[in-house]
Amino acid sequence: MRLRALLDTHALGLRLLGGEDELDRTVRGVMTTDLRDPSRYLAGGELVLTGLAWRRDAADSEPFVRLLVQAGVAALAAGEAELGDVPEDLVVACARHRLPLFAVHESVAFATITEHVVRQVSGERAGDLAAVVDRHRRMMTSGPAGGGPDVVLDLLGSDLDLRAWVLSPAGRLIAGSKVSGPALPADACAALAAEHLAATRTGRRGPHRVLLGTTPYSLFPVRSPQGARDVRETVLSDWLLAVEADAGDWPEERLDLLQGVTQLIAVERDRRDAARTVRRRLAQEVLELVQTGAAPTEIAARLRVAAPVLLPGLGAAPHWQVVVARVEWDGGEVPGGPVAQCLLEEILVDPLASGPEPSDRIAVAHTGDEAVALVPLPAVAAEHDGSEAGVHADVLLASVRTPLAAGLGDDGRVTVGVSAAVHSAEGLRGALEEARHARRVAAARPGRVCAAGHQELASHVLLLPFVPDDVRRAFTARLLDPLRDYDRRHRAELIPTLEAFLDCDGSWTRCATRLHLHVNTLRYRVGRIEQLTGRDLSRLEDKLDFFLALRMS
């Protein structure tokens, strides 16, 4: 707003004492101060309100005004309640530095002026920003992105003082305002994504209000214009806009503005999906060649085409890993393949990477409820046989487990399998089967989000997925149900004791130390386990049976 508009608002009780030629200056904010040097709290463009408590004599006016002018304030308004009239030395100092000066009548509270300025400035900024958002939306829908969502997030930060970020459903930072200060910590991103997915699964309309510690956030869904028939089709792929503010008391105009921002971001989301078409097609072609038994030379030729697309400038064919994922929903009405495809494209990105570009190096195909990813590894990175580079099943889902579990709710499940790295087309068929079998191992475990890697296929767990369910249930019930029943009745903790005893390789001392028990107490519990089950924990066969029963339970 302009200084002239303040002077024309009679309810504010402002009287111009100097600076008539400067009334077209823009007011960007307001500050009340009685500090002798308030410059460190000024950003420029403010209307400064003062009660003159800083002035002890006429010599104080000149340095005070000079500091305000150096800070770039728009004008000074001095209250008449303290001294009756504004001192002449202040009028002279303002005239010398061409700083507009107003007198505030003693009947007008500074709070009244502050409220009026804030309301006017916020309304004008919102209107300006809405026009920019609308113009940017038209640009993005008709041509190149022009900077993507970061541009609008910067406007939210600079014009409306809103810190905002775009997050993936797994909690990865897609975009953030450069004027919003430090990036949102990874644990906060994951927590906000989990809250958003949980609210989405319950059918609550956004924005969703969340409190992390003492900081409020409002979460706005970013949904494709086409929408979905069932929320489960997109809950694990739609982005969200997180704003550090409580939108509960926002006016409709500001809510509409943020909805416009989400529509703009949704355009960028759809544009990114369209750009993935080539990579998805490459993955689909390679997968079909592998599954139909094509010659290794034919598969190798297709991989040579894929390598420059996924790793530009590599110069040599990389090593490859295969990752298989399956998303299953209760009832089977919602196809899991497309959901698993979007999920792999998200979680295979380096969790420390920001922006949509890193995901452009992942090629994922889907068939039925299964998605298959080809993950290229530069030859140098893969020389360690996958032990130090590439995708690791034990860490793949660690940072995204909480958000994904919230999105899956009580009726969904994600299982993932990871192969070892292979360096030729001949090894790709084996890698695919290895990843699929690792996924079946993961599926045999409890929990909504599970993964297994090729390292685990060298142990006894290789056999567990092939044990029929009824045999599995009978075996575990025969060994563990007596202990569970006893624990329920006596709170004896026999099951945790058994797990710790086996994990310590039968060492009485190490197990007692881990459980914070006396060795005699541990011997009593183990004796009770043997009495209830008829087994002998000094025998290797019985130890192995207990170990497998705990793994399958």
Side-chain angles (χ1 to χ4, degrees), residues 247-263:
D249 56 355
W250 281 6
E252 286 297 324
E253 293 80 4
R254 179 166 287 202
L255 288 172
D256 289 344
L257 172 63
L258 267 294
Q259 294 297 345
V261 171
T262 64
Q263 293 169 16

Side-chain angles (χ1 to χ4, degrees), residues 116-298:
H116 177 82
V117 172
V118 169
R119 186 168 58 248
Q120 294 297 318
V121 170
S122 296
E124 291 178 3
R125 285 181 176 176
D128 292 343
L129 184 58
V132 173
V133 169
D134 185 63
R135 183 168 62 252
H136 201 70
R137 185 191 301 117
R138 292 197 300 271
M139 289 172 58
M140 292 185 68
T141 54
S142 61
D150 302 84
V151 175
V152 180
L153 297 187
D154 285 342
L155 287 172
L156 288 176
S158 62
D159 283 24
L160 293 186
D161 298 324
L162 290 177
R163 288 162 47 85
W165 303 266
V166 178
L167 306 178
S168 78
R172 186 170 65 89
L173 184 64
I174 301 295
S177 169
K178 296 180 180 62
V179 298
S180 292
L184 203 60
D187 56 346
C189 291
L192 291 175
E195 293 283 355
H196 168 73
L197 292 178
T200 300
R201 286 307 312 273
T202 60
R204 286 169 28 212
R205 297 186 60 185
H208 311 126
R209 286 176 285 167
V210 176
L211 197 65
L212 291 188
T214 59
T215 305
Y217 294 89
S218 296
L219 310 179
F220 294 80
V222 176
R223 297 196 173 108
S224 172
Q226 289 79 21
R229 291 172 298 177
D230 190 308
V231 67
R232 293 174 294 182
E233 295 177 10
T234 58
V235 66
L236 297 182
S237 59
D238 282 344
W239 292 348
L240 65 136
L241 175 66
V243 180
E244 189 182 294
D246 185 347
D249 56 355
W250 281 6
E252 286 297 324
E253 293 80 4
R254 179 166 287 202
L255 288 172
D256 289 344
L257 172 63
L258 267 294
Q259 294 297 345
V261 171
T262 64
Q263 293 169 16
L264 182 63
I265 296 168
V267 172
E268 179 66 17
R269 175 74 173 81
D270 290 346
R271 188 184 298 278
R272 187 188 73 162
D273 271 352
R276 285 176 167 172
T277 302
V278 173
R279 291 178 293 280
R280 288 174 173 175
R281 188 172 66 247
L282 285 171
Q284 194 71 45
E285 290 174 355
V286 172
L287 178 61
E288 290 174 359
L289 289 173
V290 171
Q291 293 187 133
T292 56
T297 54
E298 188 177 356

Side-chain angles (χ1 to χ4, degrees), residues 450-471:
C450 299
H454 62 92
Q455 301 92 339
E456 300 175 64
L457 302 187
S459 70
H460 62 279
V461 297
L462 176 69
L463 305 175
L464 297 185
F466 299 105
V467 179
D469 288 344
D470 54 347
V471 175

Side-chain angles (χ1 to χ4, degrees), residues 36-57:
R36 299 185 69 187
D37 180 7
S39 56
R40 61 184 178 276
Y41 303 110
L42 296 168
E46 295 92 349
L47 170 67
V48 175
L49 305 175
T50 180
L52 300 176
W54 50 268
R55 181 184 178 279
R56 291 171 299 187
D57 55 47

Side-chain angles (χ1 to χ4, degrees), residues 502-524:
L502 295 176
D503 196 41
C504 292
D505 299 323
S507 169
W508 297 96
T509 304
R510 282 196 290 129
C511 184
T513 301
R514 174 181 293 191
L515 296 175
H516 305 290
L517 297 175
H518 192 277
V519 172
N520 289 341
T521 304
L522 176 61
R523 291 185 183 276
Y524 172 80

Side-chain angles (χ1 to χ4, degrees), residues 432-515:
L432 176 60
E433 291 307 314
E434 188 174 59
R436 282 175 168 164
H437 189 76
R439 192 207 63 78
R440 289 193 289 271
V441 170
R445 297 171 176 168
R448 292 283 172 190
V449 183
C450 299
H454 62 92
Q455 301 92 339
E456 300 175 64
L457 302 187
S459 70
H460 62 279
V461 297
L462 176 69
L463 305 175
L464 297 185
F466 299 105
V467 179
D469 288 344
D470 54 347
V471 175
R472 186 196 309 267
R473 284 191 292 268
F475 179 73
T476 58
R478 186 167 60 251
L479 277 177
L480 302 182
D481 279 1
L483 306 183
R484 291 173 177 143
D485 292 341
Y486 192 87
D487 280 348
R488 272 194 299 270
R489 294 196 308 270
H490 302 285
R491 297 182 180 179
E493 297 188 355
L494 296 185
I495 291 289
T497 300
L498 175 61
E499 291 174 332
F501 186 72
L502 295 176
D503 196 41
C504 292
D505 299 323
S507 169
W508 297 96
T509 304
R510 282 196 290 129
C511 184
T513 301
R514 174 181 293 191
L515 296 175

Side-chain angles (χ1 to χ4, degrees), residues 312-333:
L314 185 63
H319 291 58
W320 301 88
Q321 273 184 288
V322 176
V323 181
V324 172
R326 194 176 183 91
V327 174
E328 298 169 290
W329 302 103
D330 293 351
E333 304 94 350

